[in-house]
Amino acid sequence: MTDTTHPVLLSIDDPSAVDQAVALLDGGQIVAIPTETVYGLAADATNGEAVARVFAAKGRPSFNPLICHVSSLAMAKSFADFDDLSLKLAERFWPGPLTLVLPLSRDHGIHPLVSAGLDTVAVRMPTGLSRHIIERLGRPLAAPSANRSGSISPTSADAVARSLGNAIPLILDGGPCAVGLESTIVKVEDGTVWLLRPGGVAADSIEDVTGGELKTVQSGSAVQAPGQLSSHYAPRAAMRLNAHAVHEGEALLAFGQDRAAGAGKALTVQNLSPDADLVEAAANLFAMMDVLDGSGALTIAVEPVPTGGLGDAINDRLSRAAAPRQTVPVNAVAS
Ligand code: TXA
Ligand code: MG
């Protein structure tokens, strides 16, 4: 039915875009779609073959579970059990960049490949076009970020095309993603709220709703997002964080008004946000890392980015990108 040797890039302004995406998804094919966080590689979460195609296209081992995207709270409740706090969080932040890890309900209908055999499932309601597509399909979409496993999450259709090349039949082009960082992942366990991955919703906004402090997962802890390897989001170039000076031959990822010493030596400069606005910086992060990586520089010097709010998620992604590259163990896989 589809010729996967020629990915089709289709603007979401094309009147047939949603119809084409829904028809492919309904037929068990995979489609890259824009969400407000990053582009997702979507498949019908109830169809095992479709989900397997996602793993194949990403080169991601199937042990790492995927997020199930829903168009309504009712759809989420049809396969996941909500405790009171998770429900409060969903009501406050959905649709939006928050993912909740919840117990799978009985007779859930979600294919086991999606949750990688766990008895929990990660659930998120995205905004805009992606939500509309799910509503039209009438079934949840399993969708990881639409990049090859271990590389930077794509925030444009072009980045998807470069990362996944000819592995997918359709890429919907919705322009750059508004948030530009993956969703925040939390899990409520016996009333304790665990932060499994910082992301598009800042931790303090979540604490405002839960009334208690978010607990951060330590490495080796039982509560983990399996995709949270230290080396992740890896560009080809080495990354040198908190750089106050630029060395010969480096590219520079800048932030704010004050330049690192010797910035004039940089092969290329990208500024995450000249106004030091963390929301703008988050939205620019992956695309700018991608540009600098493509410049051929062997090292990317990164100016300090303040912590707090979205700064925590940005620094998390930067330190993963800077971590020594590791061989990926089979039970904990970069997503
Ligand atoms: O913003 C986002 O979250 C994007 C867009 C497309 O929605 N998706 C995304 O998916 O970042 P992915 O697959 O790249 O990352 C999903 C993360 C992984 O770290 C995975 O291990 C974790 O969610 N995860 C999924 N199911 C889980 C579960 N049941 N328990 C713990 N962690 C889970
Ligand atoms: Mg990912």
Side-chain angles (χ1 to χ4, degrees):
M1 166 183 167
T2 46
D3 176 0
T4 52
T5 60
H6 299 288
V8 177
L9 257 161
L10 191 61
S11 163
I12 60 164
D13 296 331
D14 186 303
S16 75
V18 170
D19 287 345
Q20 288 196 45
V22 171
L24 283 166
L25 291 164
D26 194 42
Q29 296 297 322
I30 55 178
V31 179
I33 58 175
T35 83
E36 77 278 36
T37 57
V38 299
Y39 276 70
L41 185 56
D44 176 352
T46 66
N47 179 333
E49 279 180 31
V51 177
R53 285 193 182 99
V54 170
F55 291 118
K58 277 183 66 86
R60 175 203 255 193
S62 55
F63 303 95
N64 199 24
L66 308 178
I67 295 172
C68 262
H69 298 72
V70 297
S71 55
S72 66
L73 192 55
M75 184 184 276
K77 285 180 170 172
S78 74
F79 63 85
D81 296 333
F82 283 74
D83 57 278
D84 291 348
L85 265 184
S86 296
L87 189 60
K88 249 171 118 176
L89 289 169
E91 282 168 347
R92 169 66 183 81
F93 294 108
W94 284 1
L98 178 73
T99 294
L100 298 166
V101 174
L102 300 165
L104 274 164
S105 55
R106 281 166 60 101
D107 306 324
H108 51 75
I110 300 297
H111 192 274
L113 258 186
V114 173
S115 54
L118 300 172
D119 52 12
T120 54
V121 62
V123 192
R124 176 166 106 79
M125 187 196 295
T127 65
L129 178 96
S130 46
R131 183 179 178 196
H132 179 55
I133 289 173
I134 300 163
E135 197 172 26
R136 282 276 311 276
L137 182 69
R139 297 192 290 280
L141 284 180
S145 49
N147 51 278
R148 282 196 68 81
S149 195
S151 60
I152 295 172
S153 292
T155 53
S156 69
D158 197 48
V160 178
R162 274 183 282 123
S163 181
L164 290 174
N166 297 330
I168 43 178
L170 178 65
I171 301 169
L172 290 189
D173 185 352
C177 300
V179 177
L181 274 184
E182 300 91 339
S183 58
T184 303
I185 306 180
V186 303
K187 181 182 190 183
V188 179
E189 252 186 4
D190 303 326
T192 301
V193 190
W194 292 90
L195 176 67
L196 302 191
R197 177 176 76 180
V201 175
D204 47 7
S205 316
I206 294 172
E207 287 168 346
D208 286 347
V209 173
T210 60
E213 212 175 293
L214 273 183
K215 288 244 160 63
T216 310
V217 175
Q218 306 299 320
S219 61
S221 153
V223 194
Q224 291 221 50
Q228 294 300 85
L229 275 186
S230 57
S231 166
H232 196 177
Y233 311 101
R236 276 183 307 261
M239 306 270 294
R240 199 164 62 75
L241 304 188
N242 297 314
H244 293 281
V246 178
H247 303 157
E248 207 66 55
E250 289 184 332
L252 177 63
L253 187 59
F255 179 86
Q257 294 284 341
D258 302 332
R259 278 305 59 74
K265 284 187 237 163
L267 287 183
T268 329
V269 181
Q270 295 276 308
N271 195 329
L272 289 169
S273 172
D275 295 333
D277 172 354
L278 289 168
V279 173
E280 182 185 33
N284 283 332
L285 181 66
F286 291 130
M288 289 187 172
M289 275 170 55
D290 216 27
V291 168
L292 295 178
D293 202 26
S295 74
L298 294 181
T299 303
I300 300 170
V302 184
E303 290 181 358
V305 175
T307 54
L310 280 184
D312 291 346
I314 294 170
N315 279 295
D316 172 79
R317 301 305 186 277
L318 285 171
S319 41
R320 286 173 202 285
R325 309 298 187 252
Q326 58 192 78
T327 322
V328 176
V330 287
N331 60 350
V333 178
S335 48

PDB file of all heavy atoms in Angstrom, residues 194-211:
ATOM      1  N   TRP A 194       6.917  11.173  41.565  1.00  0.00           N
ATOM      2  CA  TRP A 194       8.293  11.010  41.084  1.00  0.00           C
ATOM      3  C   TRP A 194       8.452  11.710  39.753  1.00  0.00           C
ATOM      4  O   TRP A 194       7.614  11.564  38.865  1.00  0.00           O
ATOM      5  CB  TRP A 194       8.617   9.528  40.889  1.00  0.00           C
ATOM      6  CG  TRP A 194       8.671   8.753  42.164  1.00  0.00           C
ATOM      7  CD1 TRP A 194       7.632   8.105  42.771  1.00  0.00           C
ATOM      8  CD2 TRP A 194       9.820   8.547  42.988  1.00  0.00           C
ATOM      9  NE1 TRP A 194       8.062   7.501  43.931  1.00  0.00           N
ATOM     10  CE2 TRP A 194       9.406   7.757  44.086  1.00  0.00           C
ATOM     11  CE3 TRP A 194      11.156   8.947  42.898  1.00  0.00           C
ATOM     12  CZ2 TRP A 194      10.282   7.366  45.087  1.00  0.00           C
ATOM     13  CZ3 TRP A 194      12.025   8.543  43.902  1.00  0.00           C
ATOM     14  CH2 TRP A 194      11.590   7.765  44.980  1.00  0.00           C
ATOM     15  N   LEU A 195       9.550  12.453  39.634  1.00  0.00           N
ATOM     16  CA  LEU A 195       9.892  13.064  38.346  1.00  0.00           C
ATOM     17  C   LEU A 195      10.816  12.092  37.617  1.00  0.00           C
ATOM     18  O   LEU A 195      11.955  11.885  38.014  1.00  0.00           O
ATOM     19  CB  LEU A 195      10.610  14.405  38.585  1.00  0.00           C
ATOM     20  CG  LEU A 195      11.106  15.125  37.337  1.00  0.00           C
ATOM     21  CD1 LEU A 195       9.929  15.603  36.487  1.00  0.00           C
ATOM     22  CD2 LEU A 195      11.985  16.312  37.722  1.00  0.00           C
ATOM     23  N   LEU A 196      10.305  11.460  36.546  1.00  0.00           N
ATOM     24  CA  LEU A 196      11.116  10.485  35.806  1.00  0.00           C
ATOM     25  C   LEU A 196      11.926  11.162  34.705  1.00  0.00           C
ATOM     26  O   LEU A 196      12.964  10.666  34.301  1.00  0.00           O
ATOM     27  CB  LEU A 196      10.232   9.395  35.197  1.00  0.00           C
ATOM     28  CG  LEU A 196       9.360   8.587  36.164  1.00  0.00           C
ATOM     29  CD1 LEU A 196       8.758   7.387  35.450  1.00  0.00           C
ATOM     30  CD2 LEU A 196      10.153   8.129  37.377  1.00  0.00           C
ATOM     31  N   ARG A 197      11.404  12.271  34.181  1.00  0.00           N
ATOM     32  CA  ARG A 197      12.158  13.009  33.149  1.00  0.00           C
ATOM     33  C   ARG A 197      11.710  14.459  33.201  1.00  0.00           C
ATOM     34  O   ARG A 197      10.516  14.742  33.072  1.00  0.00           O
ATOM     35  CB  ARG A 197      11.858  12.431  31.756  1.00  0.00           C
ATOM     36  CG  ARG A 197      12.543  13.198  30.626  1.00  0.00           C
ATOM     37  CD  ARG A 197      12.329  12.563  29.254  1.00  0.00           C
ATOM     38  NE  ARG A 197      10.995  12.817  28.720  1.00  0.00           N
ATOM     39  CZ  ARG A 197      10.561  12.373  27.539  1.00  0.00           C
ATOM     40  NH1 ARG A 197      11.350  11.626  26.796  1.00  0.00           N
ATOM     41  NH2 ARG A 197       9.344  12.661  27.128  1.00  0.00           N
ATOM     42  N   PRO A 198      12.634  15.414  33.409  1.00  0.00           N
ATOM     43  CA  PRO A 198      12.224  16.811  33.316  1.00  0.00           C
ATOM     44  C   PRO A 198      11.872  17.136  31.871  1.00  0.00           C
ATOM     45  O   PRO A 198      12.386  16.499  30.946  1.00  0.00           O
ATOM     46  CB  PRO A 198      13.479  17.580  33.756  1.00  0.00           C
ATOM     47  CG  PRO A 198      14.612  16.634  33.644  1.00  0.00           C
ATOM     48  CD  PRO A 198      14.078  15.235  33.654  1.00  0.00           C
ATOM     49  N   GLY A 199      10.986  18.075  31.650  1.00  0.00           N
ATOM     50  CA  GLY A 199      10.570  18.380  30.282  1.00  0.00           C
ATOM     51  C   GLY A 199       9.745  19.637  30.227  1.00  0.00           C
ATOM     52  O   GLY A 199       9.923  20.555  31.037  1.00  0.00           O
ATOM     53  N   GLY A 200       8.819  19.673  29.284  1.00  0.00           N
ATOM     54  CA  GLY A 200       8.099  20.890  28.919  1.00  0.00           C
ATOM     55  C   GLY A 200       7.259  21.535  30.001  1.00  0.00           C
ATOM     56  O   GLY A 200       6.936  22.715  29.907  1.00  0.00           O
ATOM     57  N   VAL A 201       6.860  20.790  31.037  1.00  0.00           N
ATOM     58  CA  VAL A 201       6.174  21.417  32.173  1.00  0.00           C
ATOM     59  C   VAL A 201       7.186  21.483  33.312  1.00  0.00           C
ATOM     60  O   VAL A 201       7.753  20.464  33.709  1.00  0.00           O
ATOM     61  CB  VAL A 201       4.944  20.595  32.634  1.00  0.00           C
ATOM     62  CG1 VAL A 201       4.339  21.210  33.891  1.00  0.00           C
ATOM     63  CG2 VAL A 201       3.893  20.530  31.534  1.00  0.00           C
ATOM     64  N   ALA A 202       7.429  22.685  33.822  1.00  0.00           N
ATOM     65  CA  ALA A 202       8.441  22.854  34.871  1.00  0.00           C
ATOM     66  C   ALA A 202       7.996  22.166  36.161  1.00  0.00           C
ATOM     67  O   ALA A 202       6.801  22.116  36.475  1.00  0.00           O
ATOM     68  CB  ALA A 202       8.688  24.337  35.129  1.00  0.00           C
ATOM     69  N   ALA A 203       8.982  21.643  36.905  1.00  0.00           N
ATOM     70  CA  ALA A 203       8.700  20.895  38.127  1.00  0.00           C
ATOM     71  C   ALA A 203       7.891  21.726  39.126  1.00  0.00           C
ATOM     72  O   ALA A 203       6.967  21.219  39.768  1.00  0.00           O
ATOM     73  CB  ALA A 203      10.006  20.430  38.760  1.00  0.00           C
ATOM     74  N   ASP A 204       8.202  23.018  39.250  1.00  0.00           N
ATOM     75  CA  ASP A 204       7.480  23.802  40.267  1.00  0.00           C
ATOM     76  C   ASP A 204       6.004  24.007  39.899  1.00  0.00           C
ATOM     77  O   ASP A 204       5.159  24.130  40.787  1.00  0.00           O
ATOM     78  CB  ASP A 204       8.193  25.109  40.618  1.00  0.00           C
ATOM     79  CG  ASP A 204       8.642  25.895  39.412  1.00  0.00           C
ATOM     80  OD1 ASP A 204       8.283  25.483  38.288  1.00  0.00           O
ATOM     81  OD2 ASP A 204       9.351  26.903  39.579  1.00  0.00           O
ATOM     82  N   SER A 205       5.692  24.013  38.591  1.00  0.00           N
ATOM     83  CA  SER A 205       4.263  24.103  38.214  1.00  0.00           C
ATOM     84  C   SER A 205       3.531  22.842  38.648  1.00  0.00           C
ATOM     85  O   SER A 205       2.355  22.887  39.002  1.00  0.00           O
ATOM     86  CB  SER A 205       4.079  24.259  36.708  1.00  0.00           C
ATOM     87  OG  SER A 205       4.976  25.181  36.186  1.00  0.00           O
ATOM     88  N   ILE A 206       4.231  21.699  38.590  1.00  0.00           N
ATOM     89  CA  ILE A 206       3.604  20.441  39.021  1.00  0.00           C
ATOM     90  C   ILE A 206       3.426  20.456  40.533  1.00  0.00           C
ATOM     91  O   ILE A 206       2.373  20.087  41.057  1.00  0.00           O
ATOM     92  CB  ILE A 206       4.473  19.244  38.562  1.00  0.00           C
ATOM     93  CG1 ILE A 206       4.453  19.173  37.027  1.00  0.00           C
ATOM     94  CG2 ILE A 206       3.968  17.936  39.170  1.00  0.00           C
ATOM     95  CD1 ILE A 206       5.400  18.173  36.439  1.00  0.00           C
ATOM     96  N   GLU A 207       4.448  20.937  41.235  1.00  0.00           N
ATOM     97  CA  GLU A 207       4.359  21.011  42.702  1.00  0.00           C
ATOM     98  C   GLU A 207       3.228  21.934  43.147  1.00  0.00           C
ATOM     99  O   GLU A 207       2.586  21.700  44.170  1.00  0.00           O
ATOM    100  CB  GLU A 207       5.705  21.459  43.282  1.00  0.00           C
ATOM    101  CG  GLU A 207       6.743  20.345  43.186  1.00  0.00           C
ATOM    102  CD  GLU A 207       8.160  20.804  43.476  1.00  0.00           C
ATOM    103  OE1 GLU A 207       8.424  22.029  43.496  1.00  0.00           O
ATOM    104  OE2 GLU A 207       9.021  19.921  43.671  1.00  0.00           O
ATOM    105  N   ASP A 208       2.956  22.988  42.371  1.00  0.00           N
ATOM    106  CA  ASP A 208       1.834  23.872  42.698  1.00  0.00           C
ATOM    107  C   ASP A 208       0.526  23.095  42.734  1.00  0.00           C
ATOM    108  O   ASP A 208      -0.377  23.415  43.499  1.00  0.00           O
ATOM    109  CB  ASP A 208       1.703  24.993  41.654  1.00  0.00           C
ATOM    110  CG  ASP A 208       2.794  26.049  41.812  1.00  0.00           C
ATOM    111  OD1 ASP A 208       3.476  26.034  42.867  1.00  0.00           O
ATOM    112  OD2 ASP A 208       2.965  26.861  40.889  1.00  0.00           O
ATOM    113  N   VAL A 209       0.413  22.077  41.886  1.00  0.00           N
ATOM    114  CA  VAL A 209      -0.825  21.295  41.827  1.00  0.00           C
ATOM    115  C   VAL A 209      -0.832  20.191  42.876  1.00  0.00           C
ATOM    116  O   VAL A 209      -1.840  19.956  43.546  1.00  0.00           O
ATOM    117  CB  VAL A 209      -1.007  20.674  40.414  1.00  0.00           C
ATOM    118  CG1 VAL A 209      -2.193  19.730  40.377  1.00  0.00           C
ATOM    119  CG2 VAL A 209      -1.165  21.777  39.378  1.00  0.00           C
ATOM    120  N   THR A 210       0.309  19.517  43.063  1.00  0.00           N
ATOM    121  CA  THR A 210       0.319  18.375  43.984  1.00  0.00           C
ATOM    122  C   THR A 210       0.478  18.821  45.437  1.00  0.00           C
ATOM    123  O   THR A 210       0.158  18.065  46.353  1.00  0.00           O
ATOM    124  CB  THR A 210       1.468  17.406  43.642  1.00  0.00           C
ATOM    125  OG1 THR A 210       2.710  18.106  43.749  1.00  0.00           O
ATOM    126  CG2 THR A 210       1.327  16.861  42.238  1.00  0.00           C
ATOM    127  N   GLY A 211       0.977  20.050  45.631  1.00  0.00           N
ATOM    128  CA  GLY A 211       1.132  20.561  46.989  1.00  0.00           C
ATOM    129  C   GLY A 211       2.317  19.940  47.724  1.00  0.00           C
ATOM    130  O   GLY A 211       2.567  20.250  48.874  1.00  0.00           O
TER     131      GLY A 211
END
